[in-house]
Amino acid sequence: MVLSVSETTVRTTSHPSPSSLAAPVTHHGAVIGPLGLFTVLLGAALPLIDFFIVNVALPAMDSDLKAGPALLELVVAGYGVAYAVLLVLGGRLGDMAGRRRLFLIGMAAFGVTSLACGLAPSAWTLVGARVAQGAASALMLPQVLATIQATTQGPRRAKAMSLYGATAGLSMVAGQILGGVLVAADVFGSGWRSVFLVNVPVAVVGLFLAARTVPETRSDRPATIDVAGTLLLALSLLSLLLPLTEGRAAGWPLWTWISLGVFPFAALAFCQVERRADRLGRTPLVPPSLLDLPSLRRGLVMVVPFSIGFSGFMFVVAVVLQQGLRLGPVAAGLALVPMALAFFAASLAGPRLIGRFGTRVVTAGGVIQAVGIALLTLTVWQGWPGLGVAELAPGVAIAGLGQGLQLPVLIRLMLSDMPADRAGVGGGVVVTTQQSALALGIATLGTLFLALASSLGMRDALVVTLLVQLGLIVVTVLLSLRLPRVMR
């Protein structure tokens, strides 16, 4: 049964603010105003920006810290794995202790750990700070979707969810653009450290705004922590993502194969423990009954290949632009501006197109993205090595247009039927799936590209990687045909 917000209890303890007073107060409980929505979307943007912002800064980190490829990949993987492992738990804690409270704790921790990353004196210190930063992100991000679900209704919720999807996609592209600009700017001689230090003042502003404009909500039936489920989910994700990300750079030692061998058993045990808890009337970490919602189940299946292709593309492009085409960090960032602009335009048009064509907008977006990647593949094959920002722009822009018609719609769809009292865990499941797939994309497509580059050369390795992504896009197009045609 799908519960409306009026069938659940939402407790409010927010301080009055101009934005919250301007919002229409209804009997449903807490209502988030425009400034509060901006604040939680800022909290959604920061973790995703920081997942991608390091891609362009890795060469500078290597030069300064003498890290080597294995430690550099840990800088990326440590954040992504900690983030993915703890997201569902972060959502559950928000349901229990209050989502604004966890958002504030996560924002504060994100600022502190960003400062630690920016001041790291060695590569291993940076890796540790990045793991802690990923954990902070996992406390903050699930509260965003849960707060939107609990404080909006009807058209306002649809608009807020579309804005969340647009924010997520734009943040992933903007991260690499911002990273290139900051590294090249070398603010006060900080070099690559500025990509982390810039988060500190933003986090301070976010804390101030959140304390004044974000209403407090929590589940009226908070569940206890599923310890067994949490540990098994952590083991499953760690045993898969860590060896895939680190294996190539480390030379595939024995521990990577043992870890991969553990993964299927850990995943199976996790599924069985969660099903048993559901049957016994307990509240598992990831309730299998959530997958009875067709919109969530079909959206999750589709977001996996989409996110794998997206993150793999972003990582590979960052390497190719700087090491293959010898572009500086600013040019490497500017090469993705057409993608960001096209994604933004598609995100703005998405809600109107959904009202007219339903979820077939996602199918059209996949086809457009495929055209963009095919054009980019042809451009690389024919124009290498004399490629610049202008030559890459058409393919990149068309791909961004297609992505912008998919991701915001998918995120809105996956949570369209979510009961309000499960907003925290539902948001945690969505962002965990997306984040795990993002990390898996870097681990798989990134590893494939780097392995092929040493034998085939960078051009042919890029072409093969783009063709693999094209195959993933075909999968998403076919899966999109099974989405519910109409979206509420």
Side-chain angles (χ1 to χ4, degrees), residues 111-458:
V112 171
T113 53
S114 294
L115 180 63
C117 288
L119 299 179
S122 67
W124 277 111
T125 307
L126 178 59
V127 169
R130 282 284 283 173
V131 171
Q133 190 186 37
S137 297
L139 289 179
M140 180 168 56
L141 185 59
Q143 318 317 325
V144 176
L145 284 172
T147 298
I148 291 173
Q149 288 287 101
T151 60
T152 58
Q153 285 287 305
R156 291 187 73 246
R157 178 181 293 178
K159 181 179 179 181
M161 293 304 299
S162 295
L163 287 172
Y164 174 87
T167 300
L170 281 172
S171 299
M172 291 186 279
V173 180
Q176 291 192 192
I177 298 172
L178 180 61
V181 172
L182 288 173
V183 171
D186 193 22
V187 182
F188 300 118
S190 58
W192 60 267
R193 298 177 186 275
S194 61
V195 305
F196 300 116
L197 296 176
V198 71
N199 294 328
V200 178
V202 177
V204 171
V205 172
L207 283 169
F208 175 78
L209 291 176
R212 296 183 61 83
T213 66
V214 177
E216 180 66 285
T217 65
R218 55 170 58 85
S219 173
D220 64 330
R221 293 177 292 178
T224 57
I225 299 299
D226 176 9
V227 177
T230 300
L231 293 176
L232 285 170
L233 178 62
L235 179 61
S236 300
L237 293 174
L238 281 170
S239 61
L240 175 66
L241 296 176
L242 197 56
L244 285 179
T245 306
E246 190 67 11
R248 184 202 62 84
W252 296 105
L254 180 61
W255 72 263
T256 59
W257 298 106
I258 293 174
S259 182
L260 289 172
V262 167
F263 166 69
F265 297 101
L268 179 61
F270 172 72
C271 293
Q272 291 176 337
V273 165
E274 299 299 273
R275 288 196 188 101
R276 184 172 183 273
D278 223 10
R279 285 197 306 269
L280 295 176
R282 303 169 187 163
T283 305
L285 185 71
V286 180
S289 55
L290 281 182
L291 298 180
D292 292 338
L293 300 172
S295 55
L296 177 64
R297 183 177 64 251
R298 294 174 185 175
L300 288 175
V301 170
M302 187 176 167
V303 84
V304 170
F306 176 89
S307 298
I308 289 174
F310 190 102
S311 63
F313 172 84
M314 297 296 286
F315 175 79
V316 168
V317 163
V319 175
V320 167
L321 291 175
Q322 293 191 87
Q323 297 183 15
L325 297 177
R326 304 298 178 187
L327 299 180
V330 172
L334 290 177
L336 295 174
V337 169
M339 174 178 282
L341 294 176
F343 191 105
F344 182 66
S347 300
L348 292 179
R352 293 192 298 273
L353 294 173
I354 293 166
R356 184 172 180 182
F357 301 107
T359 58
R360 288 298 173 262
V361 171
V362 179
T363 306
V367 173
I368 293 171
Q369 184 188 4
V371 171
I373 295 298
L375 178 59
L376 190 59
T377 304
L378 185 62
T379 301
V380 170
W381 180 259
Q382 292 182 340
W384 189 276
L387 296 175
V389 174
E391 290 79 13
L392 297 172
V396 168
I398 294 171
L401 183 67
Q403 291 163 344
L405 293 175
Q406 295 175 82
L407 185 60
V409 181
L410 280 175
I411 292 177
R412 176 179 162 186
L413 172 72
M414 286 188 284
L415 294 170
S416 60
D417 296 326
M418 184 66 60
D421 64 335
R422 288 187 164 187
V425 68
V429 169
V430 169
V431 293
T432 296
T433 303
Q434 182 191 22
Q435 181 61 38
S436 300
L438 290 173
L440 190 59
I442 293 178
T444 53
L445 294 185
T447 297
L448 172 67
F449 169 78
L450 293 172
L452 292 176
S454 60
S455 56
L456 299 180
M458 204 159 283

